[in-house]
Amino acid sequence: MVVLMTSLSSPTRRAERLLKLYPQIWRERYGAEFVDLMEQSIADRPHDAKRTTNIIFKSLKVRLSDLGFAGPNLDNANASRSALSTTTVLATVFAVFALFYWSCTMVSWNSNPKVATSVSVSLWTGAITVSTFILTLTLFGVGIIFLFRALKSTFLRRDKKFRWSLIAVFASSILILNGVHQYIRFTIARGGIQWFQFGQALKQVAGATQWVTQSVIWGPSWTGGSTFSEGLLHISATVAVVVLAFSVAKLIRNSEFSVTATRAGVRATKLLSASMFLFLFSCAGWELSGGYDNSLMAPFTQMEKSLFFVIAFIALLSLSTSLRVRNRDNSIEIVSSTNEAA
Amino acid sequence: MKNSTRPDQLGKNPGVSGLILSSLAGGEKHGYALVKDVAEFAGVDLAPGTLYEALARLERLGLIEAIATDDRRRPYRLTGAGASALSEYLAMQQQVVKVGQSRLARGWSFS
């Protein structure tokens, strides 16, 4: 027992436990020398609460930095990758809500047969449509590019690091597609979407989107319906979207970034953030110009209004991440010019 | 370039960076040797988290570089840019010391 206790509290063990507080990329770079320093520091002063607190706070800072939320990243080459990875997760959550709010505005557009929707509301609805389209298309593009790169790496180079992420991406995509199919079955039963009548098609797509996004948003707290399968469908849709977002983010984090890919990653991060803010701005315009008026749309519930603030916070987090990438790029330029001068 | 002489060249927390660069100006050192040296010449106890945060920052800024070794004790050394940045930082600190001392001498007396 004494031997076991001594072993568990040996300087090496304690140093290794503290090292685990740091993210993997940091451990790979500084792990060995950190453990060495800690062993000697613990030998000098076995118990030091101030030292432990210092490590806890600094490691938390490194973890936040690794996600693109705080301070400069450990490795500048990884800054674009971290920012894009984090923004992809944030933007996916945002996109679900954006698609839900877009579908509500689109379904309510010209819904009152007695009063035509005003020009200003129509313009703001258009702006909401465009921003949602840019956001969704950018996310889709990012997902497809990294999926293709991961598949290429897995099958051509026999690289195993993407294996589990790829399985998760395909499994969650199947669940989402199944959810979409289940929710648009009424539209399909009525002859499908009338693609040749653009206005009608847009309304039908919005209606189907409303069903699907509602399912994803309210999935975990869903109480409607009476069958187990419907409840499972709601919950699985939410889980699948979360799994898909994190799996694509993992694919991004594990990918090698060339100089061109780094620049493209920074641009994609900024485009995602910009489209989120364009969406929020358009929603504010729609609301102020009387989007609810003259339509048969039911007012948003208190929860739906509150969730709007949640996505505004997500947009702010994303903006913060994209601005930090820009700052890091500047710091690289300063260093290189300093080195040249030296 | 105009950015090479900016006052915040040592990045955030220039005090800690200045201590580390001053220590490395005396020769290459690994983490523990750095902590001991700084404690000896400045009386400052650098906590491990703070030390590695500063080392990562200085390395990223190109002011120090790690020397490749098989040993887990990885030594660091000052780069040319680091020496230049330290020189500018110390000159600025000397100016602060000079102004502070002259103002103290004019308005205060110590018995």
Side-chain angles (χ1 to χ4, degrees), chain A residues 33-53:
Chain A
E33 52 185 294
F34 177 82
V35 169
D36 178 74
L37 169 70
M38 286 305 297
E39 281 172 5
Q40 292 174 83
S41 183
I42 291 168
D44 286 350
R45 277 198 311 272
H47 301 287
D48 188 342
K50 200 174 152 190
R51 179 181 61 204
T52 309
T53 312

Side-chain angles (χ1 to χ4, degrees), chain A residues 3-236:
Chain A
V3 173
L4 181 69
M5 291 296 286
T6 311
S7 161
L8 284 172
S9 61
S10 75
T12 309
R13 287 286 179 91
R14 284 174 61 190
E16 282 170 354
R17 272 203 298 269
L18 288 167
L19 177 65
K20 281 179 186 165
L21 294 172
Y22 285 91
Q24 192 186 349
I25 190 166
W26 195 95
R27 294 200 299 265
E28 283 167 8
R29 169 63 186 84
Y30 295 105
E33 52 185 294
F34 177 82
V35 169
D36 178 74
L37 169 70
M38 286 305 297
E39 281 172 5
Q40 292 174 83
S41 183
I42 291 168
D44 286 350
R45 277 198 311 272
H47 301 287
D48 188 342
K50 200 174 152 190
R51 179 181 61 204
T52 309
T53 312
N54 174 269
I55 292 169
I56 290 169
F57 277 104
K58 296 296 179 185
S59 60
L60 182 68
K61 210 171 154 188
V62 176
R63 280 198 180 270
L64 286 173
S65 167
D66 187 45
L67 292 172
F69 288 135
N73 199 288
L74 166 72
D75 180 14
N76 275 318
N78 288 324
S80 165
R81 190 163 45 189
S82 301
L84 184 60
S85 164
T86 303
T87 308
T88 299
V89 175
L90 294 173
T92 306
V93 177
F94 191 100
V96 172
F97 286 95
L99 283 165
F100 170 69
Y101 289 115
W102 165 75
S103 64
C104 292
T105 57
M106 186 49 72
V107 167
S108 75
W109 183 70
N110 266 348
S111 61
N112 190 342
K114 291 177 186 170
V115 189
T117 302
S118 68
V119 175
S120 60
V121 172
S122 296
L123 286 174
W124 285 118
T125 307
I128 291 172
T129 306
V130 169
S131 55
T132 309
F133 184 74
I134 295 172
L135 177 69
T136 315
L137 203 70
T138 310
L139 263 180
F140 187 72
V142 167
I144 289 293
I145 288 168
F146 285 95
L147 183 63
F148 178 73
R149 285 172 66 130
L151 282 171
K152 198 175 154 189
S153 184
T154 305
F155 290 105
L156 295 182
R157 291 182 219 147
R158 306 275 173 211
D159 196 344
K160 289 182 179 174
K161 67 181 174 184
F162 296 110
R163 196 174 43 187
W164 291 110
S165 303
L166 280 172
I167 291 170
V169 166
F170 283 112
S172 54
S173 299
I174 289 167
L175 276 175
I176 291 168
L177 288 174
N178 174 53
V180 170
H181 176 76
Q182 294 297 323
Y183 287 111
I184 63 169
R185 66 186 190 275
F186 298 116
T187 311
I188 295 166
R190 283 178 292 185
I193 293 168
Q194 311 297 311
W195 292 110
F196 295 107
Q197 294 174 312
F198 184 69
Q200 186 67 22
L202 206 56
K203 285 247 179 193
Q204 285 178 315
V205 170
T209 306
Q210 202 171 24
W211 272 102
V212 176
T213 49
Q214 266 182 333
S215 165
V216 175
I217 295 167
W218 305 117
S221 60
W222 188 82
T223 52
S226 55
T227 60
F228 172 74
S229 62
E230 279 182 13
L232 191 66
L233 189 66
H234 277 272
I235 293 164
S236 69

Side-chain angles (χ1 to χ4, degrees), chain B residues 7 15 25 28 33 39-40 59 68 76 89-90 93 99 102:
Chain B
E28 58 193 53
E40 202 178 304
E59 200 180 0
Y76 291 87
Y89 172 73
L90 293 177
Q93 294 300 101
V99 170
S102 71

